[in-house]
Amino acid sequence: GAGVSQSPSNKVTEKGKDVELRCDPISGHTALYWYRQSLGQGLEFLIYFQGNSAPDKSGLPSDRFSAERTGGSVSTLTIQRTQQEDSAVYLCASGDRANTGELFFGEGSRLTVL
Amino acid sequence: GNSVTQMEGPVTLSEEAFLTINCTYTATGYPSLFWYVQYPGEGLQLLLKATKADDKGSNKGFEATYRKETTSFHLEKGSVQVSDSAVYFCALKGTGGTSYGKLTFGQGTILTVHP
């Protein structure tokens, strides 16, 4: 597609369950970012990929969070044993090889943990 | 580490009013600076950027000047429209080490413009 695609757009889960969020970046974009946006908060950086490697994982909140990217394209963010404080909108963005800072964002996956 | 601080919101203005949204930053080296905008029901999109001191970014009537001496990148528009109602985010891109490539965002400022 033409833009960054994220799925699911909405996810409601019970506390303790695992969830997977998917991001399909713009074709040819080598940089891929995950951010978290909580109500009333800014964008919290989670992880950044250049190709398939992640030079910066510093934002992952705990070891319950992990992310991978395969084939330099699709990325999956996995949250294990979800907690209520994980409820947020998870945003994915991609950027081109030059990584100028111009990112193209998806519309996000809204996660609600009951 | 790098950080971005935006003025508290929300901001409510009448159409044709002058807009300023303040943004200051903390960073080592020479970061690039950005304003992103999120219109209702849409994803974030780049509004404007500046890559070095004294550069002015501009787009859609909005302007921001990279002021290294005051570590600021304030967003301005001379005459806002109802269609400018959105959430505005100031952001910084680091220049070295593990900061390279990472965009750090401020907390966002909600702007509402009334007719």
Side-chain angles (χ1 to χ4, degrees):
Chain A
V4 177
S5 178
Q6 292 188 245
S7 61
S9 55
N10 247 303
K11 177 72 176 178
V12 180
T13 191
E14 293 179 347
K15 178 181 171 181
K17 301 284 191 183
D18 297 351
V19 298
E20 281 191 354
L21 307 176
R22 175 189 167 104
C23 173
D24 202 342
I26 291 172
S27 178
H29 278 190
T30 57
L32 187 148
Y33 297 75
W34 284 99
Y35 287 87
R36 179 166 72 174
Q37 185 175 24
S38 303
L39 189 62
Q41 304 293 316
L43 272 69
E44 176 188 3
F45 171 81
L46 298 179
I47 189 168
Y48 152 61
F49 290 92
Q50 184 62 259
N52 290 335
S53 65
D56 193 342
K57 304 179 183 179
S58 62
L60 293 176
S62 73
D63 59 8
R64 296 186 296 105
F65 287 73
S66 63
E68 65 175 15
R69 188 180 186 193
T70 55
S73 182
V74 172
S75 176
T76 302
L77 178 68
T78 302
I79 309 173
Q80 295 179 309
R81 306 181 302 281
T82 52
Q83 304 294 313
Q84 287 184 333
E85 61 264 26
D86 300 334
S87 296
V89 177
Y90 290 81
L91 296 173
C92 177
S94 70
D96 64 19
R97 183 181 299 277
N99 205 6
T100 58
E102 180 172 0
L103 299 186
F104 296 81
F105 281 81
E107 294 192 9
S109 292
R110 180 177 298 278
L111 174 66
T112 304
V113 182
L114 301 177
Chain B
N2 296 338
S3 66
V4 176
T5 302
Q6 287 181 235
M7 67 183 289
E8 296 282 332
V11 175
T12 302
L13 295 173
S14 297
E15 207 164 25
E16 299 183 3
F18 184 85
L19 169 70
T20 300
I21 301 178
N22 290 340
C23 171
T24 57
Y25 68 89
T26 302
T28 55
Y30 300 91
S32 296
L33 301 172
F34 306 83
W35 278 99
Y36 277 79
V37 59
Q38 186 174 30
Y39 297 104
E42 299 183 16
L44 274 84
Q45 56 188 273
L46 178 66
L47 179 60
L48 54 82
K49 69 178 183 182
T51 57
K52 61 182 187 296
D54 300 325
D55 267 4
K56 178 184 285 187
S58 61
N59 187 24
K60 299 182 180 180
F62 290 88
E63 294 184 339
T65 300
Y66 186 159
R67 301 283 188 203
K68 191 163 178 64
E69 64 275 14
T70 54
T71 62
S72 65
F73 193 54
H74 305 321
L75 183 68
E76 297 182 336
K77 186 173 186 181
S79 176
V80 293
Q81 305 300 312
V82 172
S83 57
D84 295 326
S85 298
V87 185
Y88 292 82
F89 292 90
C90 187
L92 171 159
K93 175 175 171 289
T95 56
T98 57
S99 293
Y100 179 74
K102 172 183 170 181
L103 256 70
T104 301
F105 285 83
Q107 67 269 41
T109 301
I110 299 172
L111 170 66
T112 303
V113 181
H114 291 300

